[in-house]
Amino acid sequence: MAAEAEVIDELHRLRARVPQLTGALAASVDGLVLAQDTPGVDPDGLAALTAAALGVALRVTDATGQGDFRELLVRGVHGYVATYAAGGTAVLTLLAQDRVNVGRLHLEGRRAGTRIGELIEAAAARAEPAPQTPAVKAPAKSAPTRTRTARAPAKPRSTTNARTTTTES
């Protein structure tokens, strides 16, 4: 991924802003690691679990009419796992100690998720090949010309009634 270094920098800055974070991972919604700073945790396993949890979260928000996925928070005895949308194709998963300020975690996680989404989308836009233009442009096919043909003069019609006969032209 072209933006990996930028995403890793964002993860490091996020961990500096929230010292109670013990890990940060950016992953595709399919569970592939894009960038990670997760000492002591298997990033591939975490990305796969994040994708599974994301699938459940998407179904829950859809079934309850809550709209598009934004975030997921899981609290364990020893801390939190928070997942935030990062654009349309990625998620940011944060691991935090139990003593973290959850409001601060959400504030910084949402901001970082938005930034990471922008970085990933910009890298994807740069990676798309530019449309190629042919050296010699072929003449464009024109649509067939539609013409109207004159109608033949209408034949006089006769209508016969019991009393009268009329001719229309």
Side-chain angles (χ1 to χ4, degrees):
M1 179 180 81
E4 183 176 3
E6 294 171 310
V7 174
I8 289 175
D9 286 343
E10 183 64 30
L11 296 180
H12 287 263
R13 285 192 300 272
L14 175 61
R15 289 197 60 193
R17 290 190 306 267
V18 184
Q20 294 81 20
L21 287 182
T22 58
L25 169 102
S28 70
V29 293
D30 298 332
L32 300 174
V33 175
L34 301 174
Q36 58 91 17
D37 181 12
T38 56
V41 176
D42 174 33
D44 293 319
L46 181 58
L49 288 169
T50 296
L54 177 63
V56 172
L58 290 172
R59 298 227 15 222
V60 169
T61 57
D62 186 48
T64 58
Q66 299 302 317
D68 292 338
F69 171 79
R70 292 289 178 250
E71 60 197 46
L72 172 68
L73 182 67
V74 177
R75 181 177 183 204
V77 173
H78 301 293
Y80 296 88
V81 179
T83 300
Y84 302 92
T89 61
V91 291
L92 169 66
T93 297
L94 303 177
L95 308 175
Q97 298 170 353
D98 189 42
R99 60 188 179 91
V100 71
N101 178 322
V102 177
R104 179 76 186 269
L105 176 69
H106 284 322
L107 176 70
E108 296 294 346
R110 291 169 186 155
R111 286 180 179 169
T114 299
R115 176 75 179 130
I116 289 169
E118 291 168 352
L119 292 170
I120 292 169
E121 289 169 5
R126 287 190 304 264
E128 289 180 7
Q132 297 178 355
T133 55
V136 177
K137 193 171 183 178
K141 291 184 180 179
S142 60
T145 306
R146 294 182 65 180
T147 59
R148 291 186 152 195
T149 55
R151 290 186 175 175
K155 295 180 183 176
R157 288 188 281 170
S158 297
T159 310
T160 305
N161 186 328
R163 294 186 172 162
T164 60
T165 301
T166 55
T167 303
E168 298 176 8
S169 36

mmCIF file of all heavy atoms in Angstrom, residues 17 33 47 81 92 95 99 109 117-118 131 143 158:
data_model
loop_
_atom_site.group_PDB
_atom_site.id
_atom_site.type_symbol
_atom_site.label_atom_id
_atom_site.label_comp_id
_atom_site.label_asym_id
_atom_site.label_seq_id
_atom_site.Cartn_x
_atom_site.Cartn_y
_atom_site.Cartn_z
ATOM 1 N N ARG A 17 -0.839 10.919 21.500
ATOM 2 C CA ARG A 17 -1.912 11.766 22.039
ATOM 3 C C ARG A 17 -2.720 11.064 23.121
ATOM 4 O O ARG A 17 -3.280 11.718 24.003
ATOM 5 C CB ARG A 17 -2.855 12.206 20.907
ATOM 6 C CG ARG A 17 -2.251 13.196 19.939
ATOM 7 C CD ARG A 17 -3.290 13.787 18.993
ATOM 8 N NE ARG A 17 -4.080 12.824 18.252
ATOM 9 C CZ ARG A 17 -3.798 12.368 17.033
ATOM 10 N NH1 ARG A 17 -2.709 12.765 16.404
ATOM 11 N NH2 ARG A 17 -4.605 11.511 16.436
ATOM 12 N N VAL A 33 -4.267 -6.551 7.038
ATOM 13 C CA VAL A 33 -3.539 -5.501 7.750
ATOM 14 C C VAL A 33 -3.016 -4.475 6.746
ATOM 15 O O VAL A 33 -2.352 -4.828 5.769
ATOM 16 C CB VAL A 33 -2.359 -6.093 8.549
ATOM 17 C CG1 VAL A 33 -1.537 -4.987 9.186
ATOM 18 C CG2 VAL A 33 -2.861 -7.071 9.593
ATOM 19 N N ALA A 47 -6.712 -8.269 12.857
ATOM 20 C CA ALA A 47 -7.395 -7.761 11.664
ATOM 21 C C ALA A 47 -8.536 -8.698 11.259
ATOM 22 O O ALA A 47 -9.627 -8.236 10.893
ATOM 23 C CB ALA A 47 -6.399 -7.597 10.519
ATOM 24 N N VAL A 81 -11.355 -2.447 23.429
ATOM 25 C CA VAL A 81 -11.051 -2.603 22.008
ATOM 26 C C VAL A 81 -12.084 -1.731 21.296
ATOM 27 O O VAL A 81 -13.294 -1.955 21.433
ATOM 28 C CB VAL A 81 -11.172 -4.066 21.534
ATOM 29 C CG1 VAL A 81 -10.880 -4.160 20.040
ATOM 30 C CG2 VAL A 81 -10.251 -4.969 22.328
ATOM 31 N N LEU A 92 -10.144 1.335 11.751
ATOM 32 C CA LEU A 92 -9.082 1.575 12.715
ATOM 33 C C LEU A 92 -9.477 0.875 14.001
ATOM 34 O O LEU A 92 -10.563 1.117 14.536
ATOM 35 C CB LEU A 92 -8.923 3.078 12.966
ATOM 36 C CG LEU A 92 -8.040 3.495 14.134
ATOM 37 C CD1 LEU A 92 -6.590 3.107 13.866
ATOM 38 C CD2 LEU A 92 -8.162 4.987 14.379
ATOM 39 N N LEU A 95 -6.499 -0.547 20.864
ATOM 40 C CA LEU A 95 -6.471 -1.296 22.113
ATOM 41 C C LEU A 95 -6.086 -0.310 23.203
ATOM 42 O O LEU A 95 -5.108 0.434 23.045
ATOM 43 C CB LEU A 95 -5.449 -2.427 22.027
ATOM 44 C CG LEU A 95 -5.578 -3.353 20.818
ATOM 45 C CD1 LEU A 95 -4.426 -4.349 20.790
ATOM 46 C CD2 LEU A 95 -6.915 -4.056 20.817
ATOM 47 N N ARG A 99 -8.001 2.155 32.261
ATOM 48 C CA ARG A 99 -8.058 3.490 32.856
ATOM 49 C C ARG A 99 -8.130 4.611 31.818
ATOM 50 O O ARG A 99 -8.090 5.788 32.157
ATOM 51 C CB ARG A 99 -6.870 3.711 33.785
ATOM 52 C CG ARG A 99 -5.528 3.607 33.119
ATOM 53 C CD ARG A 99 -4.397 3.640 34.160
ATOM 54 N NE ARG A 99 -3.114 3.522 33.514
ATOM 55 C CZ ARG A 99 -2.378 4.540 33.098
ATOM 56 N NH1 ARG A 99 -2.805 5.770 33.289
ATOM 57 N NH2 ARG A 99 -1.223 4.336 32.508
ATOM 58 N N GLY A 109 -9.950 8.650 18.343
ATOM 59 C CA GLY A 109 -10.159 7.538 17.423
ATOM 60 C C GLY A 109 -10.950 7.955 16.195
ATOM 61 O O GLY A 109 -10.633 7.554 15.067
ATOM 62 N N GLY A 117 -8.686 7.172 6.694
ATOM 63 C CA GLY A 117 -9.544 6.958 5.528
ATOM 64 C C GLY A 117 -9.152 7.862 4.370
ATOM 65 O O GLY A 117 -9.101 7.435 3.209
ATOM 66 N N GLU A 118 -8.854 9.134 4.683
ATOM 67 C CA GLU A 118 -8.429 10.076 3.640
ATOM 68 C C GLU A 118 -7.104 9.646 3.020
ATOM 69 O O GLU A 118 -6.922 9.727 1.800
ATOM 70 C CB GLU A 118 -8.300 11.483 4.223
ATOM 71 C CG GLU A 118 -9.625 12.110 4.607
ATOM 72 C CD GLU A 118 -9.465 13.375 5.436
ATOM 73 O OE1 GLU A 118 -8.321 13.714 5.859
ATOM 74 O OE2 GLU A 118 -10.498 14.029 5.695
ATOM 75 N N PRO A 131 -6.616 7.451 -17.569
ATOM 76 C CA PRO A 131 -7.193 6.942 -18.809
ATOM 77 C C PRO A 131 -6.255 7.225 -19.975
ATOM 78 O O PRO A 131 -5.700 8.309 -20.096
ATOM 79 C CB PRO A 131 -8.504 7.715 -18.951
ATOM 80 C CG PRO A 131 -8.494 8.778 -17.918
ATOM 81 C CD PRO A 131 -7.412 8.472 -16.943
ATOM 82 N N ALA A 143 -24.714 8.941 -34.668
ATOM 83 C CA ALA A 143 -25.976 8.232 -34.588
ATOM 84 C C ALA A 143 -26.644 8.291 -35.954
ATOM 85 O O ALA A 143 -26.468 9.259 -36.696
ATOM 86 C CB ALA A 143 -26.863 8.887 -33.535
ATOM 87 N N SER A 158 -65.249 7.406 -46.928
ATOM 88 C CA SER A 158 -66.706 7.601 -46.987
ATOM 89 C C SER A 158 -67.327 6.918 -45.791
ATOM 90 O O SER A 158 -66.931 5.808 -45.411
ATOM 91 C CB SER A 158 -67.305 6.992 -48.255
ATOM 92 O OG SER A 158 -66.778 7.648 -49.373
#
